[in-house]
Amino acid sequence: MEGAPLKLYGMWSSFYVHRVQLALHLKGVEYEYIEEDLSNKSPALLLHNPVHKKVPVLLHGDRPIAESSIIIEYIDEFWKAKPILPADPYERAVVRFWCHFVDNTLRPSFGVILRSSGEGQATAVDNFRQNLMFLETELRDGSFKGRKFFGGERIGILDIVMGCGLYWNSACEDVLGMKIIDQESFPLFTSWFESFNEAKEVKEVIPPAEKLVEYVKGVLQKMFN
Ligand SMILES: N[C@@H](CCC(=O)N[C@@H](CS)C(=O)NCC(=O)O)C(=O)O
C-alpha cells in the first residue's frame, strides 16, 4: 500500500472532513481532495460509503475507509511517524473515552441549544456548559493537567476531534448572538483553543470564519423554516 494514491471525499464546511484533513496535514501526507455535492452525491461516494452515504471517505488505493475517527486511527496506524494517539494502552483508552464524550454527549448537547428557544434554550446552554466543564476540569486537575494540547506538546486525536468542531460552535455563537464558551468560566479550555488555532496545520484546513458564519446562518434558517 506504500505509495498508493490517496483520495479524500469531503465537503468544505464539514468538521468531520476537517478532522481527517488535519490528521493528514499533521502527518505531512499528500492526498487528492474531492469536493462532494451532498445534495447530489457522486456514484463514487455512494459506492465507497454505501451504509451511511456520508463524507468523509478516505480511499487508499482501492480501499475505502469511512467514519472520521476510524479514518484518523487508520492514518495514525499506517503512517506511524508523528503519532496522533498515545502509545500507552491506558492513555489510548482515556483519549478514546473523551473523543466518544465529545461526539456522543458534548456535541449533541450543543445541538439542543440550536433547536430550542426561551427557557428551554437557557436550560440547554447550562447543560452544555456543565458538559464542557468536565473538559475544563480534566485540563485543570485530571488526565490533561498542565498540557498545551490534550495530546501533550503536540496535537493529538482529542485535539482534532474537539478542535475542528469548535469552529462550528463559534460560528453558531456568532449567529445566535450568544457567548456560550466564555474565557472567565473556561480559562484553560479557552487557552487550549488559542494554542490549537495557532497551529499551521489547523490554519491550512479550517475555512475562513466569515464563510462558515454565512453557511451556518443558512443551515439555522433551514432548521427553523
Ligand atoms: N459519524 C460521521 C459523520 C459524518 C457526517 O455527518 N457527514 C455529513 C457532512 S458533515 C454528511 O456527509 N452528510 C450527508 C448526509 O447526511 O446525507 C463521521 O464521523 O464521519
Side-chain angles (χ1 to χ4, degrees):
M1 289 304 292
E2 206 65 56
L6 195 62
K7 291 183 183 173
L8 174 63
Y9 294 86
M11 205 275 272
W12 73 269
S13 68
S14 165
F15 60 80
Y16 296 109
V17 173
H18 303 152
R19 290 174 176 183
V20 174
Q21 289 180 295
L22 181 52
L24 291 167
H25 284 235
L26 288 166
K27 293 277 183 181
V29 174
E30 301 270 321
Y31 61 99
E32 181 190 345
Y33 177 79
I34 299 157
E35 177 76 6
E36 277 291 325
D37 173 358
L38 293 180
S39 61
N40 180 23
K41 295 172 186 173
S42 72
L45 177 64
L46 300 176
L47 174 71
H48 297 311
N49 191 0
V51 175
H52 298 301
K53 305 175 179 64
K54 290 183 177 188
V55 290
V57 171
L58 188 70
L59 188 64
H60 194 188
D62 58 1
R63 297 172 170 185
I65 310 133
E67 287 295 318
S68 58
S69 36
I70 294 172
I71 302 173
I72 296 171
E73 293 214 15
Y74 175 80
I75 292 169
D76 202 37
E77 285 168 19
F78 194 87
W79 291 277
K80 294 198 187 312
K82 305 184 192 158
I84 288 173
L85 268 91
D88 176 75
Y90 180 70
E91 285 184 31
R92 287 168 86 84
V94 169
V95 291
R96 284 181 176 134
F97 169 85
W98 287 109
C99 288
H100 188 273
F101 169 81
V102 170
D103 273 346
N104 295 289
T105 305
L106 187 68
R107 299 213 64 75
S109 69
F110 195 84
V112 180
I113 302 176
L114 303 180
R115 290 191 301 273
S116 54
S117 60
E119 237 173 78
Q121 192 171 54
T123 309
V125 168
D126 279 350
N127 188 35
F128 170 79
R129 284 165 55 91
Q130 277 170 31
N131 284 332
L132 189 63
M133 197 49 84
F134 285 117
L135 278 175
E136 178 71 19
T137 307
E138 284 302 304
L139 285 165
R140 195 180 59 226
D141 307 315
S143 315
F144 311 115
K145 184 177 175 179
R147 292 193 180 184
K148 179 176 180 190
F149 296 113
F150 292 111
E153 273 313 295
R154 63 163 173 260
I155 292 179
I157 190 164
L158 179 55
D159 300 282
I160 297 175
V161 165
M162 179 75 249
C164 291
L166 214 52
Y167 291 91
W168 263 81
N169 291 54
S170 305
C172 290
E173 284 182 336
D174 267 28
V175 175
L176 296 173
M178 268 188 206
K179 191 73 192 152
I180 299 170
I181 306 174
D182 62 294
Q183 215 241 334
E184 203 179 324
S185 316
F186 302 100
L188 298 176
F189 186 81
T190 310
S191 113
W192 159 78
F193 192 44
E194 276 166 18
S195 306
F196 183 78
N197 272 321
E198 279 160 16
K200 165 175 88 56
E201 296 83 355
V202 170
K203 292 192 190 352
E204 285 165 4
V205 305
I206 302 296
E210 320 75 62
K211 192 174 170 196
L212 209 48
V213 167
E214 279 313 303
Y215 184 80
V216 168
K217 263 187 205 158
V219 172
L220 295 184
Q221 254 158 24
K222 265 193 215 146
M223 265 171 75
F224 295 114
N225 292 329

